[in-house]
Every structure is written in C-alpha cells, then in structure tokens.
C-alpha cells in the first residue's frame, strides 16, 4: 500500500473508516451484554422450522461479524509496515493491538479476511432485509414492527 500524506482526503477517509469501525466494535460489546441479559420475543409460530433456523443462523453470524470485522481491521492496521497511527474522530489516539508487530504477511492475510467478511456481511444483509420485508408485507406479522418503536403493532 502507498504511504499517503496525512493531509490527503484519502488518508482522512481511512481515519474516518477506522473511527466508525472501532466505534462499532465498542457498541457491539454493549449490544452483546444487553442481549445476554435480556430475553428476546419468540419468532412467530407460523414460521417453518427451516425459516427459524435460517433466522437464527443469520443473527448469530451477524453477532460474529460485528466483532470479527472490526477486530480484523484493527489487526490489519497494527501489522501494517507503514506504521500509521489511528486517531479516532481526529482527536482520540487509539493504540495498535498489543503484541502485534509489523508483518507484511499478516497484513495481507488480514486484508483478504477483511474483504471476505465484508462481502459476507453484505450478502447476509440482503437476505436479512429481504426477510424483514417479507415478514412485514407478505406474512404481515409483527417482526419488523417490534424492531422499530414508532411502528404500530398489530398484535399485543
Ligand atoms: C464493522 C466494521 C467494518 C466494516 C464493515 C469494514 C468494511 C471494510 C470494507 C468493505 C473495506 C474494503 C475492502 C476491500 O475492498 O477489500 C475495508 C477496507 C479497510 N478497512 Fe475496514 N471495515 C470495518 C472496520 C475496520 C476497522 C476497525 C479498521 C481499522 C482499525 C479497518 C481498516 C480498514 C483498512 C485499512 C482498509 C483498507 C484495506 C486495503 O488496503 O485494501 N476497518 N473495510
Ligand atoms: C435496514 C436494515 C435492517 C432491518 C430492516 C433489520 C430488521 C430486523 C428485524 C425485523 C429483526 C427481527 C427482530 C425480531 O425477531 O423481533 C432483526 C434482528 C436482528 N438484526 Fe437486523 N435489521 C437491519 C439491519 C441489521 C444490521 C446492519 C445488522 C448487523 C450487522 C443486524 C443484525 C440483527 C441481529 C443480530 C438481529 C437479532 C437480534 C437478537 O436476537 O438479538 N440487522 N433485524
């Protein structure tokens, strides 16, 4: 990868990308702690067992990805031979992953994993949003409505 001057727009975009990515990582810890201590409503009984299994698989995969993707990005920049610091939102210095020293091999591998996970995330999102719309407009159940506080529910 080329070394960009810290004043360039592209350099700034990378810093913004890292800032939002690390924020997602921190929020994911908050979300997982909430999820593990609060029950979620059951899926509708009308769903077939393969649909319930697909929903569970997708949700677990999302929980995995919201941790794995930013962690992999963080390892990637920590292993980078360019040695660029991460500064969140222009003023919070963020360390590299402790114990990781610059390595072109590790950086390249993490780059490939980051690429693969990004496309897995996009693929699952298409499926996830499609399923949410099917619940709402085809099945006409409350699954989408109960995720959005402003939307009025049909049941309960
Ligand atoms: C949920 C969080 C994240 C998502 C969804 C995400 C997504 C992406 C995507 C789609 C790309 C382009 C990949 C490609 O075309 O190969 C990318 C590249 C990159 N990401 Fe992330 N990212 C996340 C978090 C992070 C974090 C936390 C860091 C570092 C602290 C990071 C560092 C990078 C870097 C340096 C690149 C450029 C890699 C290259 O040179 O090809 N990302 N990311
Ligand atoms: C337009 C975007 C999205 C829509 C419309 C949407 C909709 C929904 C709906 C309707 C549910 C079902 C909740 C229930 O069973 O009551 C759900 C659950 C879930 N969604 Fe999304 N979602 C979206 C984006 C995302 C994104 C970006 C992620 C993560 C990367 C995500 C992760 C999850 C997870 C993990 C669950 C399961 C929640 C749990 O059991 O803790 N969703 N979503």
């Amino acid at each position: 990868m080329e070394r960009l001057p810290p004043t360039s727009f592209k350099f700034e975009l990378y810093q913004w990308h890292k800032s939002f990515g690390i924020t997602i990582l921190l929020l994911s810890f908050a979300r997982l702690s909430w999820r593990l201590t609060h029950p979620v409503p059951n899926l509708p009984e009308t769903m077939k067992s393969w649909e319930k299994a697909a929903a569970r698989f997708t949700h677990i995969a999302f929980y995995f990805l919201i941790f794995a993707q930013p962690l992999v990005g963080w390892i990637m920049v920590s292993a980078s031979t360019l040695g660029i610091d991460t500064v969140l939102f222009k003023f919070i210095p963020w360390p590299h992953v402790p114990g990781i020293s610059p390595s072109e091999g590790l950086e390249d591998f993490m780059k490939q994993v980051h690429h693969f996970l990004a496309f897995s995330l996009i693929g699952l999102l298409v499926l996830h949003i499609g399923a949410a719309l099917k619940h709402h407009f085809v099945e006409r159940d409350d699954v989408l409505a109960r995720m959005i506080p402003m939307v009025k529910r049909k049941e309960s």
Side-chain angles (χ1 to χ4, degrees), residues 88-103:
L88 305 182
F89 303 106
K90 292 187 164 210
F91 75 105
I92 307 168
W94 186 258
H96 286 331
V97 179
I100 298 218
S101 40
S103 149

Side-chain angles (χ1 to χ4, degrees), residues 24 31 34-35 38 40-44 47 55-56 58-66 121 125 128-133 135 142-148:
I24 289 174
R31 170 64 205 177
W34 178 273
R35 176 65 169 87
H38 295 76
V40 291
N42 291 327
L43 290 169
M47 280 173 75
R56 272 189 208 109
T58 309
H59 296 165
I60 292 169
F62 274 143
Y63 277 112
F64 169 75
L65 286 165
I66 57 177
L121 195 55
L125 253 182
H128 185 65
I129 294 172
L133 293 176
H135 276 288
D142 269 349
V143 168
L144 180 62
R146 70 192 186 185
M147 210 54 182
I148 309 172

Side-chain angles (χ1 to χ4, degrees), residues 2-143:
E2 80 219 273
R3 201 183 209 301
L4 298 160
T7 47
S8 81
F9 181 55
K10 200 170 168 191
F11 184 95
E12 287 215 345
L13 285 182
Y14 276 115
Q15 291 291 348
W16 281 113
H17 180 91
K18 296 191 282 182
S19 304
F20 285 112
I22 296 292
T23 306
I24 289 174
L25 177 64
L26 300 177
L27 288 174
S28 300
F29 282 104
R31 170 64 205 177
L32 187 65
S33 328
W34 178 273
R35 176 65 169 87
L36 293 175
T37 50
H38 295 76
V40 291
N42 291 327
L43 290 169
E45 280 315 313
T46 47
M47 280 173 75
K48 297 179 194 84
S49 59
W50 73 265
E51 290 174 329
K52 288 185 181 173
R56 272 189 208 109
F57 168 80
T58 309
H59 296 165
I60 292 169
F62 274 143
Y63 277 112
F64 169 75
L65 286 165
I66 57 177
F67 286 97
Q69 179 68 340
L71 278 174
V72 167
W74 188 22
I75 296 171
M76 184 207 311
V77 296
S78 305
S80 172
T81 47
L82 296 176
I84 296 170
D85 289 339
T86 297
V87 181
L88 305 182
F89 303 106
K90 292 187 164 210
F91 75 105
I92 307 168
W94 186 258
H96 286 331
V97 179
I100 298 218
S101 40
S103 149
E104 219 168 293
L106 180 61
E107 183 191 4
D108 275 352
F109 178 64
M110 287 298 144
K111 209 176 272 186
Q112 283 174 35
V113 178
H114 203 62
H115 180 87
F116 173 77
L117 293 184
F119 281 92
S120 311
L121 195 55
I122 293 167
L124 284 173
L125 253 182
V126 171
L127 191 73
H128 185 65
I129 294 172
L133 293 176
K134 179 173 182 278
H135 276 288
H136 199 68
F137 294 108
V138 180
E139 310 294 341
R140 294 174 181 276
D141 58 29
D142 269 349
V143 168

